[in-house]
Amino acid sequence: MSSPSPLALDDLRNQARAALAAQDFTRCDRLYAEWLALEPESLEALGVLGQRAVAQGRNAHAIERFAAAHAIDPRSATVCANLGVALRDAGKLDDALALLRDAVTLDPQFFIARLHLGSVCEALGRDNEATATYFGAVTTAQAQGRWLGDSTTAPVMRPLVRHAMQVIDRGRAQLFHGLLEPLRRQHGADALRRVQKCLAIYLGTIPADWPDPRQKPSFMYLPDLPSTPWFDRSLFPWYDALESQTPAILDELQAVLAEEAGFIPFLKSRPGGNVEEHLVSERGDAAWDGFFFYRHGERFDDNCRRCPVTAAALDALPLVRLEGNAPECLYSKLTPGSHILPHRGVTNTRVVTHLPLITPGNGALRVGGEDHEWQVGRCITFDDTFLHEAWNRSEQTRVVVLLDVWNPHMTPVEIAAVGTLVDGIRGFNTAARLADPMIDKGHG
């Protein structure tokens, strides 16, 4: 028997697709079956016939079609998801779990596969994994404008999406409140009052009710702290010791600048960093570079050895220390003409200090609409959850030491509680295959 001509096969494909688009399912089923008979390794024909079998309640037949497709292309996220869902519906949960995990690994943006993976985790009694997986599914979908309400959710998906949201609300609240329970037992509920309110705001059960409209953290807001863009130096008893080392720290900076090695673009050092959205220049290329001593909690040992005085001075400070997040300490270099555009930080629990080292003038840091001009050797600290920006309109490079410390108005118990929460949220987001919410775009 002779094989069909390419033209005849193309015509059959087009007729099959047209029948599917017109929802002429009787003709669709016949044409796709003919197509598959002529082209047994057609993933499209296998996929459509598998989905049609699902619609007809013939799950065993659907599994057969999807398994054939998976044998042909096990690296297709869609093929893995189709087979995984069919196996789930057949009660073969362990096999379904493996295939849906493969689908999500192959395509992390495949939010429908994530949703079905969550349902399998839930059916297997993996409650924490189900909550995180559902959260990743819904968050990824909503970032793409889907599942924001009935109008952006396909009718067939609405029951599972609604169920997932209920599981998310219940599971996250249980998990995060549970993290605070040991501290609550040890120190009492009143010591954690502001942190409990912070968690309620994060979970969306109460509004943030910002005391100052200029302030809006992108991740975590600890309420009932004094709300101010700038902090009085009396709140930082370690200023004097750090400032006294300015000449030695400046000498180390000058040696680094002379070697022209060790600085990396600040925004490109961060996941999702987009230079054009956050940095412009009045002349030439904008450049905001960092010589890091710590970044996201990781110590840069080579840089610390090159600048031992600076490294020791930083390590003597009450830095924020959170695994995978903090401290963040660096020489922050802003080239002539560069302007860091207005932006907000992630949380008011952490504040930002600058120790200016090279300040050529004609530059400033604006926080909450209030400008400050850097002075060599004189520290400033600000709350970067207020809208802020920085610029250097001079003809020379500007450099400051930049570091993060805890908000000075927090108690030691609150610091411990917020650290516990941030670690827990980071772990949860990792399980949900989402970005770390504590990583922001920087602060000058």
Side-chain angles (χ1 to χ4, degrees), residues 78-89:
T78 299
V79 167
C80 290
N82 284 342
L83 181 55
V85 171
L87 289 170
R88 178 203 62 189
D89 293 345

Side-chain angles (χ1 to χ4, degrees), residues 173-195:
Q174 182 177 345
L175 173 62
F176 298 143
H177 282 291
L179 293 174
L180 296 177
E181 185 56 32
L183 287 168
R184 191 182 301 109
R185 287 198 302 266
Q186 181 180 358
H187 300 285
D190 191 59
L192 293 176
R193 178 187 60 81
R194 291 193 296 203
V195 179

